[in-house]
Amino acid sequence: MLDQSPPTPKSQIENPKSTDSTKATPLRCITGSLIAGAMATGLYSLTASIAQSFASKPIQSHNITVINITVAVRTLVVGVSTLATVIFGIIAIGLVALGVQLFIQQFKNQPTPPQS
């Protein structure tokens, strides 16, 4: 059976109703920045411990193929962890910058009180 419901107007699909709950505010930016910064700090500690663990345990093989695969896997694990750390750090910095920008815009856009 085919769906016989009327088609949804294109304007409702492209422009969903905007509410105040999705509006960016300085407080939301700073809160998000604190969360992203905490995650970046945690990931930094994880990356450091992974790198230290890999450095303290040498590869126990004489086979060149095994050594190459082990080095590649270790590099990949540390690289992915470092990438996640950097991404969350950049997000935290960007959210702080956005919060500052929104805070400044609030003061620039405030109307002046009427003079009596």
Side-chain angles (χ1 to χ4, degrees), residues 35-86:
I35 293 169
M39 291 180 75
T41 303
L43 284 169
Y44 176 77
S45 297
L46 178 67
T47 302
S49 67
I50 289 171
Q52 183 65 34
S53 174
F54 285 161
S56 67
K57 297 175 186 166
I59 301 169
Q60 302 288 329
S61 179
H62 297 292
N63 188 347
I64 296 297
T65 306
V66 170
I67 293 171
N68 287 340
I69 290 173
T70 304
V71 168
V73 168
R74 287 181 175 195
T75 304
L76 182 66
V77 169
V78 173
V80 167
S81 180
T82 303
L83 180 66
T85 303
V86 170

